[in-house]
Amino acid sequence: MIETDAVKARTAARACMSIYLRLPGSSYRKNLLTLGFGEFDFAGEFSERLVDAVVAWGGENNLSERVKAHYKAGTTHVCVPPLRSGGSFRPDERVLEALAPSK
């Protein structure tokens, strides 16, 4: 998410995350619990630690570094949902443009 204001970014991230993490028996939630997050991370509006781990936000360079970190850790595929910070669930094309391979 291209958003440098922490409050705006985390608010939007929590809205997106709640769709998946509040479902009964959520496999997303179960997976995150195996990765070291605790029930306290899911309480209320989700902990900042959880939000910041699940959703990359900041300037374009921060997003690029987060994707590179996944590849450096050994992944072969990174899924990038281009989230918006303004509350809309429409994709933010700026995210895709920022992460597109340069020619």
Side-chain angles (χ1 to χ4, degrees):
M1 177 185 312
I2 297 178
E3 178 59 68
T4 58
D5 181 296
V7 173
K8 287 181 182 178
R10 289 180 178 134
T11 298
R14 285 177 170 112
C16 292
M17 291 169 59
S18 68
I19 294 168
Y20 302 99
L21 299 182
R22 299 278 186 228
L23 292 172
S26 168
S27 59
Y28 294 105
R29 181 184 182 118
K30 289 177 185 176
N31 185 47
L32 289 165
L33 288 168
T34 67
L35 295 173
F37 293 97
E39 287 298 335
F40 58 90
D41 288 302
F42 297 92
E45 296 183 335
F46 306 125
S47 70
E48 286 185 5
R49 180 176 88 104
L50 178 62
V51 172
D52 292 349
V54 172
V55 177
W57 58 269
E60 293 178 9
N61 287 339
N62 187 59
L63 301 186
S64 179
E65 291 303 315
R66 287 281 300 265
V67 171
K68 287 176 187 175
H70 282 284
Y71 284 115
K72 187 175 180 180
T75 192
T76 59
H77 178 84
V78 178
C79 178
V80 179
L83 304 177
R84 290 182 180 266
S85 65
S88 171
F89 287 102
R90 286 187 33 238
D92 187 346
E93 292 83 9
R94 299 175 308 153
V95 173
L96 299 176
E97 290 170 5
L99 297 175
S102 55
K103 295 181 180 182

